[in-house]
Amino acid sequence: MINDDASRKSDTYTVRQLKRSSTNTTTSTTSPASESSNTLATPSKTSQHAEILAAAAHATLPNWANVFLMISLIFGGCCSNVFALEAIIKEQPTAGPLITFAQFILCSLLTLPNFLTFNLKSPLKPRAIPLRSWLIYTSYFVSVNLLNNWAFAYKISVPLHIILRSGGPVASMLIGWIFNNRRYSRGQILSVAMLTIGVMAAALADANSKSSYKSKPAHSKDIDSGPGDAINTIIGFSILLLAMILSAFQGLYADGLYAKYGRSHWKEALFYSHTLSLPLFLPNYSQLFSQWKILWSSPPSPLSSAFPVNIPSQIIYLIMNAGTQYICIWGVHLLSAKSSSLTVTVALNIRKLVSLLLSIWLFGNRLEIGVLIGALLVFLGGWFVWV
């Protein structure tokens, strides 16, 4: 017991001495060299901050570059596409199938190199999604595109076309509620109500203006004006309504595919949806050829002076429309693969608004007050539909 107490006292004394020595050592170390240590610490902290900033810039700049690229593709490609589309539709309203075919064949040719191999037995790379699924998706895709372009033959102007197509979220939410039992917030329901009222107001105002103004330029190749104007308008609206419903089913089916196989296969979707659609145009070969001859008979374009032959202006617009459509859809697929549906919806609705304003400004389109009010409701509803 005595030996134990002595040992405990010695141990306690040793610990105290060690604490004192360590305190003295720390004090003696820090006091003479405090300025030098602080001086050395300052550049080390600065270098650490610089490294952090460099790492943050390295991580965020590529993302911002991607965002800038996607927004540039969507706004530059889609707005230019609307300009070229209206330049054709003003002269040849029935050229919708030819415009769709040109867009599809150019997109198919430009995306083909990404899937070609040098193996003769299997010239295409293996698919991530089965071919049967792409066939179903393509049937929706080509139907929606043909119907949207076909509506121009029934006196649907490009601005009104943009407004009516902006009501697509209405059909998407109804189809999701009926077939997928999806539930929506009160804000989303209010947004759908705004979209519906806006589309109806724009449609009724446009129909009223057509009944009041029946005079047409003599060179117009559209369907003759007369008592059938109201019927043509109803047919055009019905075609766009059917296109919106099919587009909603297409989105529902695409969500199922991406949920099952992942969202990184947008290039595959771009290639197969356009390539598999091409055989469906063969039955309408004569119609496509007649539309091509009409466009070819247009006056030469001022841009044709840069080429050895005179190229008709409508052919230039057709090539421009197909090329900008590829740029536009490329940006949309990139954005949908890397962003939320909210970002995609907001970007596309802003893009449609810009396209509408450009159409009014460049081509002098006259819109009634009711159409403008409907457009405002549509774009506001489209903005808040996913909030």
Side-chain angles (χ1 to χ4, degrees):
M1 293 293 294
I2 297 174
N3 292 335
D4 291 339
D5 292 336
S7 62
R8 287 173 187 170
K9 290 179 181 180
S10 63
D11 291 340
T12 304
Y13 176 80
T14 305
V15 169
R16 288 176 181 173
Q17 289 295 106
L18 287 173
K19 287 182 179 181
R20 289 176 182 175
S21 63
S22 63
T23 304
N24 294 333
T25 304
T26 305
T27 305
S28 63
T29 303
T30 54
S31 55
S34 58
E35 293 182 359
S36 61
S37 63
N38 290 334
T39 306
L40 292 174
T42 302
S44 64
K45 290 181 180 179
T46 305
S47 62
Q48 283 182 347
H49 291 318
E51 290 177 0
I52 293 173
L53 290 175
H58 181 74
T60 56
L61 282 179
N63 293 332
W64 281 108
N66 287 332
V67 171
F68 178 77
L69 173 64
M70 291 182 287
I71 297 300
S72 301
L73 291 174
I74 291 174
F75 280 83
C78 298
C79 293
S80 303
N81 178 261
V82 172
F83 168 78
L85 174 66
E86 188 155 7
I88 300 172
I89 295 300
K90 283 281 187 181
E91 299 295 327
Q92 185 60 32
T94 59
L98 179 62
I99 294 172
T100 308
F101 176 73
Q103 293 173 352
F104 279 35
I105 194 169
L106 182 64
C107 186
S108 178
L109 290 175
L110 292 177
T111 53
L112 179 61
N114 295 323
F115 297 92
L116 279 178
T117 62
F118 295 100
N119 189 353
L120 296 178
K121 293 183 179 180
S122 56
L124 295 178
K125 295 179 181 179
R127 291 177 299 273
I129 299 177
L131 182 62
R132 180 178 176 274
S133 299
W134 286 132
L135 288 171
I136 298 174
Y137 179 84
T138 300
S139 64
Y140 286 121
F141 181 75
V142 69
S143 300
V144 170
N145 281 271
L146 284 174
L147 288 171
N148 281 328
N149 287 334
W150 186 30
F152 289 117
Y154 294 92
K155 293 188 175 182
I156 302 295
S157 65
V158 171
L160 186 62
H161 194 275
I162 294 171
I163 296 169
L164 295 177
R165 288 186 63 188
S166 299
V170 177
S172 298
M173 292 180 69
L174 287 175
I175 296 300
W177 174 62
I178 295 172
F179 292 93
N180 260 18
N181 293 324
R182 292 182 178 176
R183 296 294 180 264
Y184 302 99
S185 64
R186 292 181 179 178
Q188 291 173 327
I189 295 173
L190 177 62
S191 299
V192 168
M194 293 175 61
L195 283 165
T196 305
I197 296 172
V199 170
M200 291 177 63
L204 292 175
D206 183 75
N208 185 41
S209 66
K210 285 179 180 176
S211 64
S212 302
Y213 302 94
K214 291 186 178 180
S215 60
K216 294 183 58 178
H219 65 274
S220 178
K221 299 181 180 61
D222 203 351
I223 300 172
D224 293 334
S225 61
D229 279 349
I231 297 176
N232 290 330
T233 302
I234 293 173
I235 294 175
F237 289 158
S238 302
I239 290 173
L240 288 178
L241 177 62
L242 178 59
M244 280 196 296
I245 295 173
L246 290 178
S247 178
F249 279 108
Q250 176 191 341
L252 201 65
Y253 187 76
D255 286 342
L257 289 181
Y258 289 139
K260 184 177 181 180
Y261 299 101
R263 302 184 64 87
S264 60
H265 308 299
W266 62 271
K267 290 184 179 179
E268 189 172 300
L270 197 61
F271 172 70
Y272 281 100
S273 61
H274 288 80
T275 304
L276 295 176
S277 302
L278 295 178
L280 301 177
F281 291 92
L282 292 178
N284 296 325
Y285 170 77
S286 59
Q287 180 187 12
L288 296 175
F289 187 67
S290 63
Q291 292 172 356
W292 171 265
K293 289 194 296 184
I294 293 173
L295 296 186
W296 188 262
S297 63
S298 61
S301 171
L303 298 176
S304 61
S305 58
F307 302 95
V309 294
N310 289 330
I311 303 176
S313 58
Q314 294 296 305
I315 299 299
I316 294 289
Y317 287 130
L318 182 66
I319 297 172
M320 178 181 176
N321 177 268
T324 53
Q325 174 68 12
Y326 172 73
I327 295 173
C328 173
I329 198 169
W330 181 23
V332 171
H333 277 81
L334 272 175
L335 188 63
S336 62
K338 297 178 180 294
S339 306
S340 64
S341 59
L342 172 63
T343 305
V344 177
T345 302
V346 170
L348 292 183
N349 275 279
I350 296 174
R351 194 277 302 169
K352 289 173 184 176
L353 179 59
V354 173
S355 298
L356 176 64
L357 296 176
L358 287 176
S359 176
I360 296 171
W361 176 49
L362 293 175
F363 292 93
N365 288 301
R366 178 179 176 277
L367 294 182
E368 298 293 324
I369 297 298
V371 177
L372 292 175
I373 294 174
L376 180 62
L377 289 173
V378 166
F379 291 120
L380 287 177
W383 181 281
F384 295 112
V385 71
W386 297 114
V387 177

